């Protein structure tokens, strides 16, 4: 029964990917394997370490916490900074922030700190200041001879 459900889901995915090339590409991306990271002290790989990109996106909050602890990132110690890309871990941040930090820790691209998005008012103020600076520069050039 379970095998039949699995094969039906696989056939559905194949049919959708045949119709939609973007869906097929996304499935291929999610199936990309991830190289496991070993713990410095034991050389072991955490059981929850994601084997594929899809598994990374399915990690729960508890699993992210366990990974941070296992790889000496949750509680800093003498091994924390010996990993290739150590992170500052905090348990009181959102799931997305934890996932981004672990992604950066294991070397996934696109998991860097997000840029701060400015509001419309901030953009308008920046444009106003640039315009005033340009006008001031123009007047300095025009009045330089007097």
């Amino acid at each position: 029964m379970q095998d039949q459900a699995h094969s039906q889901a696989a056939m559905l995915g194949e049919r959708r990917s045949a119709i939609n090339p973007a869906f097929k590409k996304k499935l291929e991306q999610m199936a990309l394997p991830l190289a496991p990271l070993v713990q410095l002290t034991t050389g072991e790989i955490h059981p929850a370490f994601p084997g594929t990109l899809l598994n990374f996106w399915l990690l729960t909050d508890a699993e992210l916490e366990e990974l941070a602890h296992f790889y000496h990132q949750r509680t800093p110690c003498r091994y924390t900074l010996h990993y290739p890309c150590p992170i500052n871990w905090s348990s009181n941040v959102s799931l997305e922030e934890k996932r981004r930090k672990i992604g950066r820790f294991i070397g996934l691209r696109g998991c860097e700190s997000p840029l701060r998005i400015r509001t419309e008012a901030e953009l308008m103020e920046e444009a106003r200041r640039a315009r005033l600076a340009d006008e001031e520069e123009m007047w300095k050039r025009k009045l330089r001879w007097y």
Side-chain angles (χ1 to χ4, degrees):
M1 184 82 162
Q2 189 177 13
D3 291 334
Q4 184 182 12
H6 179 69
S7 66
Q8 286 177 343
M11 287 184 351
L12 179 62
E14 290 172 13
R15 280 188 279 158
R16 285 187 179 165
S17 64
I19 296 170
N20 187 341
F23 181 68
K24 182 177 182 177
K25 184 177 179 182
K26 183 53 76 176
L27 284 177
E28 290 169 357
Q29 288 174 347
M30 290 292 123
L32 288 174
L34 299 179
L37 189 64
V38 297
Q39 188 184 49
L40 286 176
T41 54
T42 64
E44 294 179 4
I45 300 166
H46 191 280
F49 192 91
T52 65
L53 196 54
L54 176 62
N55 294 68
F56 168 75
W57 287 105
L58 295 176
L59 287 171
T60 64
D61 188 81
E63 289 170 327
L64 292 166
E65 287 284 340
E66 289 174 20
L67 286 167
H69 179 71
F70 185 81
Y71 293 111
H72 307 104
Q73 300 302 302
R74 187 169 64 185
T75 308
C77 66
R78 65 181 185 200
Y79 301 112
T80 302
L81 298 176
H82 291 278
Y83 287 93
C85 194
I87 53 176
N88 292 322
W89 190 259
S90 176
S91 294
N92 58 353
V93 295
S94 69
L95 175 64
E96 292 79 20
E97 180 74 8
K98 289 178 184 180
R99 185 173 285 119
R100 183 189 62 74
K101 286 185 176 203
I102 289 292
R104 182 173 167 266
F105 177 70
I106 66 174
L108 292 179
R109 289 187 305 192
C111 291
E112 295 81 19
S113 296
L115 297 174
R116 184 181 166 284
I117 298 174
R118 295 177 290 181
T119 65
E120 185 178 349
E122 290 171 327
L123 292 172
M124 296 292 283
E125 179 62 21
E126 184 179 325
R128 185 186 71 75
R129 287 183 186 159
R131 191 173 51 254
L132 288 174
D134 288 346
E135 287 176 10
E136 187 176 321
E137 181 65 29
M138 177 196 66
W139 285 112
K140 283 182 182 178
R141 279 186 276 126
K142 284 185 175 184
L143 299 175
R144 174 176 38 185
W145 305 106
Y146 295 103

